[in-house]
């Protein structure tokens, strides 16, 4: 059996015929070649695969592509405006919030959603908000710092995140 | 995953008609990982996401009614749940991580009845009613054992109705890795009744009548001093021994009473 799946990815309309078993992350990486979204565990644990579906951060390895039919999906590739990084991306760079970078797309997508719901999080709230994202390099200190810095930038210039 | 057909149901009747030989698909946070492991081979998945009227939260005559497809994150952030039964908002906000809460649903969580799941403690603690496509099931009859419930094959949970009670609190000791409850205790004071309900510790949620009687007499943490739980039959795994879990039950129960007192 195959199913037709029509959705919007980073503002672009996409329509595909897929095996219903296709995961959202497989649609993104394999069919659309958007390889910024990573697969770390494939078992819903690590958060490397986080994307936004209708504005909510979700693990794309634990969602069927067909479940996203009709939805608007945003991946890490959809955050920057041309050459201008999204404030969360810029903060991760400024604060050295990454080492190997494997977890980073997921960390950033989770952070964008976190700061939209809670624009002024405490350090504790940041750590809880990143509960579903695992990093095996950084020890998290600079990631938490990056989220705090991004929160300040976004509070001062909220329009910067409006598109994502 | 083994191959399956995908059906997006447009109504409750369509879903129930399509499901024989297959599974309902809600948030997929439990079902999809188990299909990846080839633990099941359903002929079809019947997606509930397109059915109107089974997601959302309403206050109706002294009760909070939550649609089966309501996400954990929506219960956690609901203004009416926060105001009327904050213990339930806390519980939903402590499930897994934000990404799991953005997909997982109350219907899926209770239908699945994982021994370490949080919601069963609230459903039994509040003496909620489970409304399905064919009947109403009282909480006390719903959770029947390890991963099992009173649901018949193909029976669809539509809503869960929680009475608004005097005060309640839920405290859990999460597994450091998954955040599932190693032990979670819900304490509810409803009129003269007190219910103390434990999840995570045994194969299925259970009540602690001795703790409840002590709290009916005096609703303070000190009322539980000296009361213990036997480790017999409790869960034992790499996260902790049965004895450790038994100890955690008393500690979590006292903390939950202390929290409920402040409400
Ligand atoms: C990393 C991770 C951490 C987690 N941590 C926790 C935790 O700390 N605490 C906790 O309680 N849970 C936890 N969960 C589980 C989570 O709460 C899931 O939401 C829940 O197990 C299932 O809900 P679902 O909507 O995803 O259901 P699905 O996975 O879609 O379905 C689960 C089962 O229920 C059936 N079903 C679904 N909806 C209905 C319905 N309306 N009527 C009848 N049957 C139905 C399905 O057919 C299936 O058999 C975790 C999950 C993950 C992946
Ligand atoms: S790859 Fe999806 S959670 Fe790890
Ligand atoms: S930077 Fe390497 S996993 Fe996070």
């Amino acid at each position: 059996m195959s199913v037709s799946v029509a959705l919007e990815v980073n503002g672009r309309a996409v329509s595909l015929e897929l095996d219903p078993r296709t995961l959202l992350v497989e649609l993104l990486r394999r069919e659309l070649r958007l390889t910024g979204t990573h697969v770390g565990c494939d078992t819903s644990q690590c958060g490397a695969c986080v994307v936004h579906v209708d504005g909510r951060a979700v693990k794309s390895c634990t969602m069927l592509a067909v479940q996203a039919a009709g939805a608007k999906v945003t991946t890490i590739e959809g955050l920057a405006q041309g050459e201008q990084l999204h404030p969360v991306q810029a903060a991760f760079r400024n604060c050295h919030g990454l080492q190997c970078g494997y977890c980073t797309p997921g960390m950033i997508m989770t952070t964008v959603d976190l700061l939209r719901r809670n624009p002024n999080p405490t350090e504790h709230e940041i750590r809880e908000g990143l509960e579903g994202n695992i990093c095996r390099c950084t020890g998290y200190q600079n990631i938490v710092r990056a989220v705090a810095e991004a929160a300040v930038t976004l509070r001062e210039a909220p329009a910067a995140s409006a598109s994502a | 995953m083994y191959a399956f057909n995908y059906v997006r149901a447009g109504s409750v009747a369509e879903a129930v008609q399509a499901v024989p030989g297959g599974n309902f698909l809600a948030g997929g946070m439990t079902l999809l990982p188990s299909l990846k492991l080839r633990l099941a081979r359903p002929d079809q998945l019947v997606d509930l996401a397109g059915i109107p009227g089974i997601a959302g939260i309403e206050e109706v005559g002294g009760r909070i009614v939550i649609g089966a497809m309501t996400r954990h994150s929506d219960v956690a952030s609901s203004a009416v749940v926060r105001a009327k039964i904050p213990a339930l908002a806390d519980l939903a906000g402590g499930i897994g991580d934000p990404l799991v809460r953005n997909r997982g649903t109350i219907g899926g969580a209770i239908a699945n009845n994982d021994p370490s799941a949080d919601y069963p403690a609230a459903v039994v603690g509040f003496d909620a009613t489970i409304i399905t496509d064919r009947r109403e099931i009282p909480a006390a009859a719903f959770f029947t054992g390890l991963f099992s419930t009173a649901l018949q094959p193909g029976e669809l949970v539509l809503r869960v109705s929680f009475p608004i009670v005097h005060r309640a609190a839920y405290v859990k000791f999460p597994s450091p890795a998954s955040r599932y409850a190693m032990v979670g205790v819900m304490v509810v004071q409803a009129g003269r009744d007190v219910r103390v309900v434990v999840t995570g510790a045994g194969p299925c949620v259970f009540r602690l009548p001795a703790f409840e009687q002590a709290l009916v007499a005096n609703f303070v943490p000190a009322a539980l001093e000296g009361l213990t739980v036997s480790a017999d039959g409790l869960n034992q795994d790499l996260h902790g021994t049965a004895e450790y879990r038994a100890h955690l039950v008393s500690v979590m129960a006292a903390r939950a009473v202390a929290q409920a007192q402040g409400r």
Side-chain angles (χ1 to χ4, degrees):
Chain A
M1 178 193 185
S2 76
V3 282
S4 328
V5 178
L7 70 170
E8 197 182 299
V9 179
N10 298 333
R12 195 178 112 214
V14 174
S15 177
L16 293 161
E17 288 291 317
L18 297 171
D19 183 312
R21 286 177 286 184
T22 311
L23 300 170
L24 178 57
V25 72
E26 293 171 334
L27 177 150
L28 296 170
R29 288 181 56 89
R30 206 172 58 201
E31 308 294 328
L32 304 182
R33 297 282 165 197
L34 292 169
T35 53
T37 302
H38 294 165
V39 177
C41 65
D42 195 32
T43 57
S44 346
Q45 311 292 319
C46 76
C49 63
V50 172
V51 302
H52 294 180
V53 175
D54 287 333
R56 290 177 185 235
V58 304
K59 290 172 174 169
S60 63
C61 75
T62 313
M63 185 167 173
L64 300 173
V66 58
Q67 288 180 286
K72 287 186 166 62
V73 174
T74 307
T75 69
I76 188 74
E77 289 92 343
L79 283 189
Q81 310 243 318
E83 291 297 299
Q84 197 186 347
L85 292 181
H86 184 283
V88 175
Q89 291 174 303
F92 270 70
R93 189 166 72 174
N94 286 345
C95 299
H96 198 63
L98 61 148
Q99 288 180 22
C100 80
Y102 204 87
C103 68
T104 315
M107 288 284 177
I108 289 176
M109 297 312 286
T110 301
T111 301
V112 171
D113 190 23
L114 165 69
L115 295 180
R116 203 183 285 141
R117 286 158 199 253
N118 182 358
N120 193 6
T122 62
E123 183 185 331
H124 181 71
E125 287 167 343
I126 292 172
R127 289 184 186 274
E128 287 211 317
L130 296 175
E131 194 69 71
N133 295 79
I134 293 173
C135 175
R136 56 179 200 176
C137 302
T138 64
Y140 302 96
Q141 289 303 102
N142 286 349
I143 291 178
V144 173
R145 212 169 289 155
V147 177
E149 182 182 296
V152 174
T153 323
L154 285 168
R155 285 202 303 278
E156 286 166 2
S161 72
S163 62
Chain B
M1 283 187 240
Y2 294 111
F4 53 79
N5 292 315
Y6 172 86
V7 181
R8 192 177 167 87
S11 68
V12 170
E14 233 175 83
V16 172
Q17 203 214 329
V19 84
N23 284 116
F24 296 123
L25 173 64
M29 297 309 296
T30 296
L31 186 55
L32 295 178
S34 70
L35 293 182
K36 285 183 183 183
L37 293 170
R38 296 194 161 185
L39 295 177
R41 188 174 200 159
D43 296 334
Q44 65 275 347
L45 293 193
V46 180
D47 194 345
L48 307 175
I51 301 178
I54 61 166
I57 301 167
E58 270 185 323
E59 186 181 352
V60 201
R63 301 180 77 91
I64 302 286
V65 182
I66 303 182
M69 284 298 285
T70 312
R71 314 273 176 208
H72 306 328
S73 53
D74 292 330
V75 174
S77 63
S78 153
V80 59
V81 178
R82 289 230 79 89
K84 298 294 165 73
I85 28 178
L88 191 63
D90 290 348
L91 177 146
I95 293 176
D97 59 55
L99 316 156
V100 169
R101 297 197 289 272
N102 276 342
R103 295 292 303 160
T105 66
I106 185 171
I110 67 167
N112 191 53
N113 193 19
D114 189 294
S116 305
D118 296 299
Y119 263 122
V123 170
V124 175
F126 283 85
D127 194 18
T129 303
I130 294 93
I131 298 136
T132 77
D133 63 303
R134 55 200 74 165
R135 58 187 169 143
E136 298 196 350
I137 308 174
F142 189 81
F143 302 102
T144 51
L146 184 72
F147 289 109
S148 38
T149 67
L151 291 172
Q152 295 159 355
E155 186 168 5
L156 181 64
V157 176
L158 303 180
R159 277 174 271 286
V160 186
S161 166
F162 293 88
I164 296 171
V165 297
H166 178 40
R167 51 189 181 177
Y170 178 69
V171 177
K172 80 163 158 177
F173 190 94
S175 147
S178 73
R179 319 310 287 172
Y180 271 102
M182 275 183 59
V183 167
V185 178
M186 176 65 90
V187 171
V188 176
Q189 194 180 36
R192 285 169 191 282
D193 280 349
V194 174
R195 280 184 293 272
V196 179
V197 186
V198 181
T199 189
C204 187
V205 282
F206 59 92
R207 290 174 63 176
L208 291 175
F211 284 51
E212 295 175 354
Q213 279 150 28
L215 292 169
V216 167
N218 192 7
F219 196 80
V220 294
L224 301 180
E225 269 168 32
L227 290 178
T228 55
V229 174
S230 159
D232 284 352
L234 295 193
N235 299 336
Q236 173 120 356
D237 53 26
L238 81 160
H239 303 299
T241 60
E243 289 73 23
Y244 184 55
R245 281 193 166 81
H247 176 70
L248 280 178
V249 170
S250 302
V251 177
M252 295 302 117
R255 286 187 193 169
V257 175
Q259 229 189 70
Q261 267 187 310
R263 289 199 155 130

